[in-house]
Amino acid sequence: MKIVGIRAFGGPEVLEVLDVPEPHAGPGEVRIRVHAAAVSPTDTVLRSGAQDLGGQEPPYIPGMDAAGVVDEVGEGAGWRIGDEVMALALPRAARRGAYAEYLVAPSDSIARIPAGVGLEAAATLPMNGLTAVQTLEKLDLAEGSVLAITGAAGTLGNYLIQLAKEAGLTVVADASPRDAEVVTALGADHVVERGDDVADRVRELFPDGVDAVADAAVMNELAAGAVRDGGGFATVRGWDGDPGRGITVHPIRVAEEYSSGVKLDRLRALAEADLLSLRIADVLPAERAADAHRRLEAGGLRGRIVLTF
């Protein structure tokens, strides 16, 4: 099968189109003929060599978001050939990254794509959608609580805003002036300008601090100051700092959601109800994966670049 793989870590130029043996579905698994794979910051971390791949041998396959068509069903998997599905992929498992023509996945790690949504858009939902779900579950905020979100204009931030509003929370979102209208349209109750002083700007609105921060922008201690004493702070990149004041730091690890097909199906239903907005920045053939990584790392994208196979 064709993959976009990595034989040596480095910059975008190390991404190569390669041929490797086709995988096949075992018991309880399906094989997906991948048509679309979203490009995310996590993929650039893997490409650079900064992610533990558990002793795998190259070529490594990036990508944590896939959408395609089931073309092989293992015993007891419960899906049908021809089902259009989306999946959270797990590059740490050998040959199970999403930048590939075929992806073998446990049957409980996938869900149908939202009705009326193409495979390219569906590929933007699994990883960031499940990250947002886990964030809100771990923060465990009561209805009416106040949540501040950094990186609100990004894909994870978008889903956090919309899921937080669906859960009855008050949302403070950071954004540049050009993105303020976007995050407001997604449901943010308050918008503060992004930047290193974001905690001060949040406290201008809530002097005692907010109940929790979801730090999608990986600002760490710069954002933790916005949290009230005894509140919560969700970190998506494993920050091990201690903000003090009784604040609980919640590490968010989306790999824990690998078998969360039920949660992914709930995200499907929310997208069908127009309660989640799936945003595509561009669609490129897989052969242009290096260009996609360059554009992502240059910043300023709103929505995901999607590779097609």
Side-chain angles (χ1 to χ4, degrees):
M1 68 172 176
K2 179 174 75 175
I3 66 167
V4 174
I6 299 165
R7 291 188 288 183
F9 298 118
E13 70 280 356
V14 303
L15 294 163
E16 301 179 81
V17 177
L18 302 169
D19 285 315
V20 300
E22 284 186 17
H24 293 282
E29 297 178 330
V30 300
R31 188 176 77 170
I32 302 166
R33 171 60 176 91
V34 176
H35 289 270
V39 177
S40 299
T42 300
D43 306 346
T44 67
V45 173
L46 183 154
R47 190 208 69 224
S48 72
Q51 186 176 96
D52 177 13
L53 293 173
Q56 282 188 57
E57 294 296 320
Y60 313 109
I61 306 176
M64 294 190 71
D65 291 286
V69 179
V70 173
D71 83 331
E72 196 173 273
V73 180
E75 182 181 354
W79 291 85
R80 294 183 179 181
I81 290 174
D83 286 340
E84 291 188 322
V85 298
M86 53 187 174
L88 177 66
L90 200 62
R92 292 183 185 182
R95 297 288 185 270
R96 296 208 176 184
Y99 292 12
E101 281 188 298
Y102 295 101
L103 173 68
V104 170
S107 62
D108 60 359
S109 70
I110 66 178
R112 295 185 187 277
I113 69 170
V117 169
L119 291 168
E120 292 87 356
T124 69
L125 182 56
M127 183 186 69
N128 286 132
L130 289 170
T131 301
V133 168
Q134 185 183 117
T135 297
L136 294 174
E137 287 179 346
K138 288 191 173 182
L139 289 173
D140 193 24
L141 298 172
E143 186 174 350
S145 299
V146 182
L147 173 68
I149 299 169
T150 69
T155 301
L156 173 56
N158 287 190
Y159 294 150
L160 281 166
I161 292 170
Q162 292 183 298
L163 291 174
K165 292 308 300 178
E166 197 262 341
L169 305 182
T170 296
V171 172
V172 182
D174 76 342
S176 66
R178 76 182 181 97
D179 289 320
E181 186 175 339
V182 172
V183 298
T184 300
L186 290 168
D189 300 282
H190 307 277
V191 180
V192 298
E193 190 165 353
R194 61 182 295 188
D196 289 351
D197 60 350
V198 67
D200 294 334
R201 294 180 183 274
V202 171
R203 284 197 176 249
E204 288 174 5
L205 297 171
F206 295 92
D208 293 332
V210 294
D211 295 300
V213 166
D215 188 24
V218 197
M219 298 185 71
N220 301 329
E221 66 276 359
L222 295 175
V227 182
R228 65 167 172 79
D229 294 359
F233 185 86
T235 172
V236 297
R237 288 286 177 86
W239 180 53
D240 59 1
D242 180 6
R245 298 186 291 111
I247 295 170
T248 301
V249 176
H250 300 273
I252 306 304
R253 301 182 179 93
V254 73
E256 296 173 1
E257 306 298 339
Y258 190 44
S259 296
S260 295
V262 172
K263 295 179 186 179
L264 187 55
D265 192 60
R266 178 174 176 269
L267 292 170
R268 171 202 58 76
L270 291 171
E272 288 182 353
D274 293 327
L275 296 174
L276 280 181
S277 303
L278 313 185
R279 299 169 64 191
I280 297 175
D282 203 355
V283 177
L284 299 176
E287 292 78 6
R288 293 184 60 191
D291 291 337
H293 276 228
R294 290 187 189 100
R295 287 175 59 186
L296 176 61
E297 292 182 314
L301 290 176
R302 295 298 173 254
R304 288 280 175 249
I305 297 177
V306 176
L307 302 177
T308 56
F309 289 81

